Structure formats: structure tokens, C-alpha cells
Amino acid sequence: MSDVRYPFTAIVGMADLRLGLLLNAVSPAVGGVLVRGEKGTAKSTMVRALAGLLPSIATVAGCRFACDPADPDPQCPDGPHDGAAEAARAAHLVELPVGVTEDRIVGSLDLERALAEGVKAYEPGLLARAHRGVLYIDEVNLLQDHVVDLLLDAAAMGRSYVEREGVSVRHAARFLLVGTMNPEEGELRPQLLDRFGLTVEIAATRDPRERAEVVRRRLAYDADPAAFADRFAEDERDLAARIGTARALLPEVVLTDAALRQITAVCAAFEVDGLRADIVMARTAVALAAWAGRTAVLEEDVRRAARLALPHRRRRNPFDAPGLDEEKLDRTLEEHAEPEPEPEPDDRPEPPEGGLPEGEGPEDDPDGGGEGPGGGAPDPADPPAPTDAPAQDGPDRETPAGDVPAPELPAQSPAPAPAPGREKAPVAADEPYRTRLFKVPGTGKGAQGRRSPAETDGGHTVRARRPAGVLSRLHLSATLQAAAPHQHARGRAGVALELRRDDFREQVRQGRESNLVLFLVDASGSMAARQRMTAVKGAVLSLLMDAYQRRDKVGLITFRGTTAELALPPTSSVEVGAARLESLPTGGRTPLAAGLLRAHETLRVERMRDPHRRPLLVVVTDGRATGGPGALAEAGRAAALLAARGPASVVLDCEAGPVRLGLARRLAGQLGADAVTLDELRAEGVAALVHAHRPSHSNRKAA
């Protein structure tokens, strides 16, 4: 990979993303930008290119925290900086890896040296390196929530804190925050979305000419990066100079009361939570005015600020897509626009009856008179006058170059109705509701979440142990207990304890983890009764919402006809799961065994990919199996194979009617799972609220 960055000005299209990044470069107080888009849309390329446009910064020589010599941080761990030499360097672009830990972000304290030697040995983290530069988080939606919250807190406060067992270090951390994400891989929580100042939705262009130009430029860059960068060097310098000019102009921009009223009216009309949106819109509108070289905020600045600052704050439930009603925005701005001043009265005398006074008629116009602003010829900037004449359809009509007359379409015949017993159209789901909590038994070691017990970085302390690596969470009482018996032998003379490395103990904390919730849904003809499938979809949608709230990954397998299909590979995007569920058709036979075997294979693959994430299988079926006289026996063997793997399972019994065969409960017994009816799924009553799923003894032993 070349060290020469792809030029920012060489990127084709992406106007909204370009503007959002530049506004943050002009005013980092805007709060960063979140870039949402499909893969392969140059999100990362543009962010990395932006860093090359930022002006160089002056720093205190030797300071690991990039303190400004003109205003050094009084709490800098490397300070004080009185009379220190200066140095200049480029603003850093710091990229945050997906698997980053908290200590890597904020820095780490050597607690062993702090307690044994009384020395604050602090190793700066990525936030210190990003100070006065750019912090870039690729795939921000794949980071743990507490890590994202930590980053956004630092971005909002401009300061990073490290607290470990009474030892505290803090330093300045102001940076331009940019996050990118692919919504197909999962959404950010609304409370985390709100912490990003702006959001931009991008997609690859569908224009063949633009796509060809993108490919042409990329191939030229790959062939000779330096020569390609030279082609755009002048444009890059001009853009960098414009950023510097806008930064200098920013303090002089006036946000008028009229513009502020429009901002607050728009935020109120769209019912955004809190006041962060109002503040971000105000800062963005001011930055837009500075970028345009103006010292006053106009209505157009407010409109563009709303389009960037509000869409991601409009989500009301996990399955809402970000968006903004443009007509409502225009209507609100118009209603709260500053009233135009009354026209001054015309003191000129009325023209006499019979026409204009001599010397004021068209014939006296030196330009020839007429209807246009300059005479008889219309102004080329004015739109053509409308005409009531009908358009010509005959051969004499002129067709503009490049326009092709649309062919006449034949009348469409109504779609044929589906044949009985065939695939039926998807039905809508019932409204989602709060469900019972199902847990995986035992104590896991998966990613932090809100479902099953696990050893995590958070939670309450349950015991102490010897640290395997760097000590991060000191268990003070256990450390003192381990060191106390050896003080006499170590020749302790004063008040201070004599500590050795073997004395230190760290905390083991127990919190909750997220799990993989794999749905196995029967979509066969036996489930196809409209009212019944509506209730089943509502139940699965409710469980999907529960998985979203508990930070789980989800997967969806459906079976009908003769096969089972992995409709949604395991992902963090429950929104995609809800969309696949909504479009799920029903009909055909019930290949229950095929569905169970597909679930077995999916869990096997996921166990290799993510061995610490424990699965929870949710089977949604009435228990019927078709395909021959041995279909039920084959399903039983598949269930036994699946149970031998030991995943925690729940069977959602969808059997209805006065006569019930109990096949779903029989399947639950074969899986070592609990069977729950649709009515029992709702979290109603105290008993249901505290209920925890407990599988059979065989499952507990396997787990």
C-alpha cells in the first residue's frame, strides 16, 4: 500500500459526505460526523484524505499529548510546560481498530509500580494521540457500547480520564470524530446515534459515466500514486486554504434571533429528544455560513444544517430507519421565517386617464421597450413563459437531443390469484410486545450485553485471582491479604507494605453477556392461516426487539416446501431480521428435520467464528412434520443430534385449535428445551418477569 494518500478533491460525487467532513474541519465543535452507507463507497478513503487537508499544528516539544504552546494543558501528565520549546507537525489521523480495549483507548496505568513504588507510570492511549487531529472509527456499530460511549464522552468534554483504584490521570482530548458504518451489519443505539453531530447517508452512484470515472481515477492512482496526487495538488492546496479562511471567519459569524427561532422551531416540529439537536444545528449553520464566506446565517444554512443534523435523531423504535420529511422541513421554515418588511408607500402621482405620461411609454424606451427587464428580448435567466398550447405529437414535433420518446405500455392485466395450497403472500405482524427473558445457563465469557451471566469488564466483583497479564482491575483487599503473611520475612521496617509481583490480585467481575439468538421459523402451510401467522410474526418480532435491547446477534432460518433456508446469517442488525420476517411467505410442506439440521450446521459454523458467544435457539413451530411416514422420526433424530451439541433452546408452541397433538412439546423434550405458548411469551405478571429459562439436566451438564 502506498504512503501517498488518495486526494480528497479526486473523489467523484459524495457531495453530502464531502460537506459534512469539511464542516467538522472548519468547526470541530459540530460534534463529528457518522457516515452510513453500503460497502465499497469510498467512506474510508475520503476520511483518510481529509487528514491531509488539515493545517499543521504547533506542539510543545517532547509532549506526548500534543499540548499547544500558546495554551498548554495545566493537567497534562507531561507538564508543566513553562518555557518549553516548540515543534510543528501534521495533525494525526488515528484509526481505531474494531477489537480495541478500553485501556488502549484511554491509556493504561501501571498499578504495580504505583502501589509498590509510588510512581504514576502512565502510558498514553489513542485519545492522547488523536488530540488536535482526527479520530476515525471504522465500523463503529461493531464496537462494544461502553467503548463507543467512552469515545463520545471524550469527544463531548474534550478531556480523557483514567481512574484506577484511587490513581487518577487526565489530559486534553479534542479531535475531529468520524465514524463509518454499514447499516446491514447492525444499527447504533439511538442514544449513541444522538452523540454524533451530523450523519450522512451515502450510496454508490448508478450513473455509468460517474462509475467509469471512479474506476478510471482509481486505476490511475494504483498505477502511480505520486503522479496522480500531483494532478490534484493545486486543488488540494486551494481547499486547505479555504478551510483555514473559514476557521478564521468562524468567530465573526452572527447567528441572528430569526435564524435561531427557525432552528428551535424545526427541532420542536420533528419532536427530537433533548436539546442536543438544537445546539448542533446552530453550530452547523454557523459553520455553513463561514464556509460560504458570510458573517450571517441564512435560512438556507438552517435548512442544510437540519438535513445533516436531524435524520439520525428521528428514530422512535429499533426498526425505524433514519430520515427526514423534506416537505415538513420547508413548511416549518416558511412558518417561522422572519417577516418581510412592509413596502414603502409610493408617493408618485397616479398616471392620468388615457395612458402613461409622455416620455414613459414603451416607444420611448431606449432599449426598444417590451416585456423583459432590458427590453423586448426576454432575459435568458428568466424561465420561459408558460403556454396553454397543447404539445404536438406529430412528426413535426422536435425532440431534444438525447431524449427518446417513451413507448406506449400495454394495459396491465390483474395478477392471478394464488392457487390453493401454494405459496401465500406475506402477512403483516402483530404489534410487538415485551417478552419473557430467556437466558443461557451457566457463566460465559462473551461480549458485554444484557442477557446471560458472564465474566465481564463491568458488573459486580465476585472473586479475586492472580493476573494473567497486565494488572488492570486491582482487588485491593485480596492483594493485602496475600502480602501480609510475608512482611516479616521481607524485612519490613516502616509503615509501608513490602509488595512483590506475586502478591497482586485482580478482580473477577460478573455481569451479563450478549448471545447469538438463532430463530428457526416454520413457514409451511400448517402455519399459513392468516390470523395465526400474524400472531407468530408478532411474537418473533417481539423477540427480535428483545434481542436488540439485550445487544444480541440474531440469525433467521425458515423451512417450508422441501428445504430450509438461512434467510439471515447471524448479524448484529436486527433491523434486517425484521425486514426479512416482514416479507416471509408461507405455504407448502413442513420439512422440520431439514430445518433442525440447518440450525445444527449454522451453530457449528458460528461456534468456530465466535467461540465465546453462546447460542440460544428459538424454534417457532407447531411441531408437525410432513414428507412421508417417517418424517416425525427423522425430525426426532435431527433434534437429538442438535441437543447433543448442548445449545440452550426454547420451543415456541404455535399449535392452535380445540384439539392439540402436543407435537411441539414433544419436540421440546427431544431438544432438552422448554416449550412456551404464544400467550405465555408475554412478560405479564411478576412470575413471568422474573422467570429465567432453565433447560433440562442434560443441557445444563453439556453447557
Side-chain angles (χ1 to χ4, degrees), residues 111-451:
L111 290 178
E112 297 178 22
R113 290 189 63 192
L115 292 176
E117 304 173 26
V119 176
K120 277 189 181 180
Y122 174 65
E123 182 64 30
L126 295 175
L127 291 182
R129 180 171 172 76
H131 180 45
R132 304 174 67 196
V134 180
L135 181 63
Y136 172 47
I137 315 170
D138 196 12
E139 307 293 356
V140 63
N141 51 325
L142 301 184
L143 290 177
Q144 295 297 315
D145 283 354
H146 75 282
V147 172
V148 179
D149 211 19
L150 182 73
L151 293 166
L152 296 176
D153 274 340
M157 296 185 297
R159 188 160 291 277
S160 175
Y161 298 85
V162 185
E163 305 279 351
R164 294 288 187 275
E165 302 298 332
V167 182
S168 176
V169 174
R170 59 192 62 193
H171 62 82
R174 294 184 298 275
F175 44 81
L176 193 165
L177 177 65
V178 183
T180 62
M181 59 175 284
N182 182 354
E184 294 178 358
E185 297 171 343
E187 286 284 358
L188 273 176
R189 315 284 159 189
Q191 67 271 23
L192 297 179
L193 278 174
D194 184 56
R195 303 290 293 277
F196 277 96
L198 310 180
T199 186
V200 177
E201 295 272 352
I202 62 172
T205 178
R206 299 297 183 258
D207 185 343
R209 290 172 296 182
E210 283 193 8
R211 296 174 76 98
E213 183 61 23
V214 171
V215 174
R216 188 179 297 114
R217 293 188 180 187
R218 184 69 209 191
L219 293 177
Y221 170 79
D222 291 341
D224 191 342
F228 183 81
D230 287 343
R231 284 172 49 191
F232 295 90
E234 185 175 351
D235 294 337
E236 294 283 289
R237 285 192 294 270
D238 291 345
L239 190 57
R242 187 177 175 185
I243 292 174
T245 302
R247 281 186 172 185
L249 184 62
L250 192 68
E252 302 177 23
V253 178
V254 177
L255 179 65
T256 63
D257 288 342
L260 183 56
R261 280 195 301 271
Q262 285 187 313
I263 289 171
T264 55
V266 167
C267 292
F270 283 98
E271 301 178 352
V272 295
D273 296 331
L275 292 171
R276 183 177 281 117
D278 306 61
I279 297 170
V280 170
M281 269 192 66
R283 290 171 174 167
T284 305
V286 169
L288 280 163
W291 181 247
R294 289 184 270 102
T295 57
V297 174
L298 304 181
E299 180 178 308
E300 182 56 31
D301 298 327
V302 176
R303 177 180 285 104
R304 298 178 79 181
R307 289 171 178 162
L308 292 169
L310 293 187
H312 61 300
R313 295 183 166 92
R314 291 283 300 135
R315 295 180 69 193
R316 283 293 177 266
N317 70 64
F319 305 130
D320 285 344
L324 199 65
D325 186 338
E326 292 281 349
E327 292 184 4
K328 184 176 182 179
L329 173 61
D330 292 339
R331 187 169 60 251
T332 303
L333 289 173
E334 184 178 351
E335 291 173 356
H336 294 84
E338 186 174 13
E340 296 183 3
E342 293 289 335
E344 296 182 2
D346 192 351
D347 296 332
R348 292 181 299 177
E350 293 288 335
E353 295 184 7
L356 295 172
E358 185 177 355
E360 296 186 19
E363 65 276 6
D364 299 307
D365 191 332
D367 291 326
E371 299 176 354
D379 192 323
D382 290 341
T387 177
D388 295 331
Q392 297 181 6
D393 295 326
D396 296 334
R397 179 183 177 186
E398 294 184 4
T399 302
D403 288 354
V404 180
E408 295 185 4
L409 298 176
Q412 294 183 350
S413 57
R422 302 281 184 178
E423 178 181 306
K424 298 187 178 181
V427 298
D430 273 346
E431 286 296 317
Y433 47 83
R434 193 154 55 96
T435 66
R436 291 167 56 171
L437 170 60
F438 300 102
K439 301 177 184 177
V440 177
T443 303
K445 295 183 179 180
Q448 266 189 305
R450 295 183 177 179
R451 183 174 296 278

